[in-house]
């Protein structure tokens, strides 16, 4: 009995080892390493959309993780990166509805959003294709705040029809209040980046 348990444990360990390390091969190290925070800022700035996860409040999948796609933009009016993740939500839509009940959201960004991992022959699941998971709370932006018009105008530059979403379908502009960032990039396994490091990084 104990022998078969030992064999089973050994097998499990072997399987876990394969699983854990196969994804963390060293191949694809960047020629000029940059900091995790700068890399995270680049991934966000180059993305026009993100996959997002929320805790579902939908009656068919209550409390399951829910995933969706949101149009995003982190640009100042002149197009430079602010790192501030802006996105439109509507209360009737999956993510907006979930956040009204449980204000927790995770944004996913991958370098493959530009197609560059595929071009380099790197599978998006490998750390050689950098990815970040940014978790936080949603903050609905006040249309009367001084920055609001600039943020909305910057958002419209990237997303041509977003004015129509706002006017005809009651979408509203939001900003992510970042609580944690995980990064999986190149060697070393998953790491964290604080919101302070992220915002103070210079592209
Ligand atoms: C773009 O605007 C931001 C603030 O709105 C400013 O900090 C930055 O210096 C500007 N960049 C350029 C290249 O003008």
């Amino acid at each position: 009995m104990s022998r078969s348990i030992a064999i089973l444990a050994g097998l499990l360990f072997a399987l876990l080892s394969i699983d854990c390390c196969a994804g963390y091969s060293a191949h694809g190290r960047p020629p000029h390493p940059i900091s995790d925070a700068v890399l995270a800022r680049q991934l966000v700035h180059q993305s026009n959309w993100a996959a997002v996860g929320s805790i579902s409040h939908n009656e068919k999948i209550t409390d399951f993780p829910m995933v969706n796609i949101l149009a995003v933009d982190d640009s100042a009016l002149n197009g430079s990166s602010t790192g501030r993740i802006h996105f439109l939500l509507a209360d009737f839509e999956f993510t907006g509805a979930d956040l009204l009940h449980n204000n927790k959201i995770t944004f996913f960004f991958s370098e493959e959003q530009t197609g560059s991992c595929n071009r380099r022959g790197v599978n998006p699941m490998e750390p050689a294709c950098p990815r970040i998971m940014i978790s936080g709370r949603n903050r609905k932006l006040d249309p009367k705040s001084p920055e609001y018009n600039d943020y909305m105008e910057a958002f419209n530059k990237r997303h041509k029809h977003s004015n129509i979403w706002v006017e005809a379908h009651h979408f509203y502009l939001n900003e992510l209040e970042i609580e944690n960032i995980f990064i999986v990039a190149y060697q070393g396994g998953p790491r964290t980046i604080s919101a302070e490091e992220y915002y103070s990084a210079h592209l």
Side-chain angles (χ1 to χ4, degrees):
M1 184 66 181
S2 67
R3 191 180 140 82
S4 57
I5 287 173
I7 291 170
L8 204 65
L11 198 65
L12 197 64
F13 181 75
L15 277 174
L16 286 174
S17 308
I18 291 166
D19 216 10
C20 105
C21 305
Y24 293 97
S25 64
H27 105 261
R29 181 202 275 267
H32 303 291
I34 51 173
S35 77
D36 285 343
V38 170
L39 182 51
R41 286 283 297 272
Q42 286 178 350
L43 289 176
V44 168
H45 189 57
Q46 72 192 15
S47 302
N48 294 330
W49 56 271
V52 297
S54 55
I55 310 297
S56 185
H57 188 68
N58 187 292
E59 61 180 11
K60 296 206 188 285
I61 54 163
T62 304
D63 295 336
F64 279 67
M66 181 57 175
V67 291
N68 201 1
I69 187 166
L70 289 179
V72 298
D73 172 48
D74 82 329
S75 299
L77 201 50
N78 61 16
S80 68
S81 154
T82 67
R84 294 167 174 272
I85 300 172
H86 293 142
F87 48 101
L88 291 171
L89 291 173
D91 292 349
F92 67 85
E93 196 272 344
F94 285 124
T95 310
D98 289 348
L99 296 183
L100 291 178
H101 287 92
N102 192 345
N103 188 3
K104 292 179 177 171
I105 184 167
T106 297
F107 284 71
F108 175 80
F109 297 89
S110 164
E111 195 183 299
E112 182 57 6
Q113 281 166 269
T114 64
S116 84
C117 299
N118 187 37
R119 281 195 294 276
R120 290 187 283 125
V122 172
N123 191 301
M125 194 174 156
E126 290 184 86
C129 183
R131 61 184 185 268
I132 51 174
M133 299 82 160
I134 308 185
S135 301
R137 315 269 172 171
N138 178 46
R139 180 163 56 88
K140 191 172 177 173
L141 292 174
D142 178 2
K144 296 189 204 78
S145 68
E147 320 79 20
Y148 185 87
N149 286 340
D150 285 358
Y151 288 158
M152 197 63 226
E153 201 177 323
F155 196 90
N156 279 322
K157 283 186 182 171
R158 284 215 207 190
H159 303 287
K160 299 296 176 209
H161 303 294
S162 57
N163 268 337
I164 299 170
W165 306 345
V166 171
E167 283 157 24
H169 304 292
H170 306 292
F171 277 83
Y172 44 85
L173 193 64
N174 306 271
E175 182 170 316
L176 179 66
E177 294 196 325
I178 296 174
E179 294 194 9
N180 188 70
I181 303 172
F182 283 125
I183 183 165
V184 179
Y186 311 108
Q187 292 97 333
R191 297 179 291 279
T192 54
I193 303 166
S194 70
E196 292 71 27
E197 290 171 291
Y198 168 85
Y199 283 119
S200 59
H202 294 289
L203 292 202

